Structure formats: structure tokens, C-alpha cells
Amino acid sequence: MTTAPFRLAFFSTQKYDITAFDSQLPKHITTEYFSQQLNETSVKLAEGFDGICCFVNDVLSEDVIERLHQLGVKLIALRCAGFNNVDLKAAKNHGIKVVRVPAYSPEAVAEHCLALILTLSRKTHKAYNRVKENNFDLNGLLGFNLHNKTVGVIGLGKIGTAFVKILNGFGANVIYFDPFTESDLAQSVSIETLYQQSDIIALHCPLTNDTLHIINEQALEQMKPGVMLVNTSRGALIDTQACINALKSRKLGYLALDVYEQESELFFKDMSCEIIDDDIFQRLLTFPNVLITGHQGFFTKEAVSEIVATTLNNVDEFIANSPLTNEVK
Ligand code: NAI
């Protein structure tokens, strides 16, 4: 007797997802790839599927999850680490299992964080454009060493730890704040001390009720003038308007973002021919000391391959009715 294949619908699919998943897909899983973000309107596309595979900006609210349940969906397989976009209580109430990819390559995000820091500090993005136009003037490109700088890490989990290991190689003085983790790789300090002492602050904690807008006006006030702030974690860790004010007052010397609170309206799409209505985002782009990438911290060959392997293994465990290694409850 042959069993029917497991039907998995992908939302927010990009070309690279299709290439990567198709290359590892077993015969007992069939897929349909939707480019649409999952939300209250697009949820109807999930009809006829056993499970759905979602990414960071898909909306898995109570209403969407209730509709998924009505449509017969039994599994939400997140192809990412963060799960702040899922109403876990609603999923539990409807008996829908949620699995994720807890760690695919913490080094991928940590290395991207470092790339942002070095780009801003050494202004390689500006140098690239100058040299392309045969402009070899160094004025305006003065950088600073990471060696001996104090770097404050908020959240010392997998990515934070990978980041600290890199920074230790640079000879930076690393301090961290994490209420739930201890490590001898760096010195643990209070959040106030971290704000007061750091030349660079990197966010590597998850987005929770406690960390929403953790970087707000009061936090910025405590920081050193000219501090560099780097967020590769989740956009809503930062009150963006407060950061704009701090950039205007010169308190914030540099800002690097791989994530943005309203990114679901913008990121992962080609908006180059569109009028962007988000005035806060557009204001950010006007600062010479702000560098933004569109949520690409995870985007290395190694990480994508690991995301696919873990996601498919998560689905396999569900099909086999085995304990779910990467269940989120
Ligand atoms: P993790 O779970 O290994 O580490 C998070 C750490 O933050 C833990 O040690 C935890 O104790 C700490 N933490 C929790 N609440 C805190 C608080 N209030 N203050 C300070 N620390 C706190 O997670 P991992 O894998 O290191 O990822 C961190 C975040 O990075 C994810 O939640 C996700 O939002 C983001 N991420 C971004 C990616 C990108 O492409 N830009 C890719 C993957 C993850």
C-alpha cells in the first residue's frame, strides 16, 4: 500500500527557496510555492495542504491560524529561527504543530554583523563608489580600529556567541548583557553599564514583550556620544524614530540595520520602481552614517542548505509521528 505524499505549501517564496528545496526534496513530500506573504487574504491558498512552510514576515496571527485549521493544515514549518510572528497559543488551541530551524548557521549572521560594522567603520561602501569613478581622495574615509574598542552584545545565545568569538580575534574588549545566559567568553555587565561603556552595541536577543523597543530614547540617552548601533536581530527591538532623533543630534554616530520594524512592506522584494510611502525608512536612507541591508544575515550557501535540510527533517518527523526535535510550544 502506498501512502499519499505530504502536501506542503510554501509562502513568501523566493527563487532561491525553490532551487534550494527542490534540490533536496524527497518523493513523499510534494510542494507548491506561493510568492505571496501569508496573511488573512492569502491564507485561502493553503486549502488542500497538510502543512505550510513560512518565513520571517508571514503573518501567523490568531485569525490566520484559525483559518488554517479550518482548511485542514496540521503543521506550520518555519524555515527560520525566530517565531515572534506566530501566535503559539492559537496554534496549540487548534492542535497545529509549529516547528522551526533553531540554528542553521549562527556564524552566517555573526559574520554579516561584522561586515556591517567594518563597512560603516572603514567606509568601504563609499570607497568602492569613489574608486569606480577614479576618485582616490581619502578625505571623508577616516575609519577606526576595532582593536581595543568596547563592544557590547545584548543577547549571548548562538549568534551572540559566534559574534563574540570573532570579536575576540580582533582584540576588542567584549561585554555582554543577557539575563538568562552565562559565558566566560566575555564579561557580563548590567544593561546600564553596557550602554555607558560600549563604543559599538550589537543586538542578538530575540524579539519578546521584554525586548520590544529595548533601544528607545532612554536607552540612547545613556550611550556614549558617537556610539555605533547594529541590529541584525529583529526590527522592533529598536524604536526607529528615537534612533533618527539620536542620529540628528549626533548622539548616534553610526547605525547598521539588517532588519527593520516595518520590513514586511519592503524587504525581499524589488521596490526600485515603486514609490515608498514609509517616510521613516526613507529618512534613514538619507544619513551618510546609516547602512541598511534587507534581512540577508542568514543568506549564505551553508545556512540555506542547512535551513532546507532541517525543515525537511522537521516535516519528516511530523509525518512519521516521531517526537518533534524542533517544536516551538
Ligand atoms: P538564541 O535563542 O540562541 O539566543 C538569544 C539569546 O538572547 C539567549 O541567550 C537569551 O537568553 C537572550 N535574551 C533573551 N531575552 C533577553 C533580554 N531581554 N536581554 C538580553 N538577552 C536576552 O537565538 P540566536 O540563534 O542567537 O538568534 C538571535 C536572534 O537573531 C533571533 O531571535 C532572530 O530574531 C535573529 N536572527 C536574525 C537573522 C537574520 O538573517 N538577520 C537570522 C537568524 C536569527
Side-chain angles (χ1 to χ4, degrees), residues 8 31 39 49 86 89 95 97 104 142 157 164 170 179 181 200 211 257 261-262 271:
L8 188 64
T31 53
N39 55 35
F49 291 92
V86 187
K89 201 168 150 213
K97 298 285 184 192
Y104 33 91
L142 189 65
V164 170
F170 275 78
T181 307
I200 298 171
T211 60
L257 303 177
E261 189 164 5
Q262 310 301 335
M271 304 281 287

Side-chain angles (χ1 to χ4, degrees), residues 102-222:
Y104 33 91
S105 174
E107 290 77 17
V109 185
E111 288 175 18
H112 188 68
C113 184
L114 190 83
L116 294 175
I117 292 172
L118 289 178
T119 304
L120 268 185
S121 71
R122 302 309 299 264
K123 304 182 171 63
T124 43
H125 55 317
K126 291 178 192 291
Y128 173 82
N129 286 328
R130 281 194 194 182
V131 171
K132 272 209 150 219
E133 296 195 359
N134 292 331
N135 175 358
F136 307 105
D137 183 7
L138 293 185
N139 286 298
L141 299 185
L142 189 65
F144 64 83
N145 290 2
L146 283 190
H147 185 246
N148 280 342
K149 288 290 174 306
T150 297
V151 183
V153 178
I154 301 182
L156 202 65
K158 291 176 281 296
I159 295 171
T161 300
F163 181 61
V164 170
K165 286 181 184 165
I166 297 172
L167 286 173
N168 285 342
F170 275 78
N173 166 37
V174 190
I175 56 178
Y176 76 93
F177 169 73
D178 188 325
F180 311 108
T181 307
E182 278 180 29
S183 167
D184 50 18
L185 281 175
Q187 188 197 345
S188 169
V189 295
S190 68
I191 192 84
E192 291 80 15
T193 304
L194 185 141
Y195 290 150
Q196 286 156 17
Q197 294 187 356
S198 301
D199 300 299
I200 298 171
I201 295 177
L203 300 173
H204 294 300
C205 57
L207 176 62
T208 63
N209 288 340
D210 289 340
T211 60
L212 178 77
H213 286 190
I214 187 170
I215 304 298
N216 54 20
E217 193 184 335
Q218 293 73 33
L220 286 157
E221 265 169 19
Q222 298 173 58

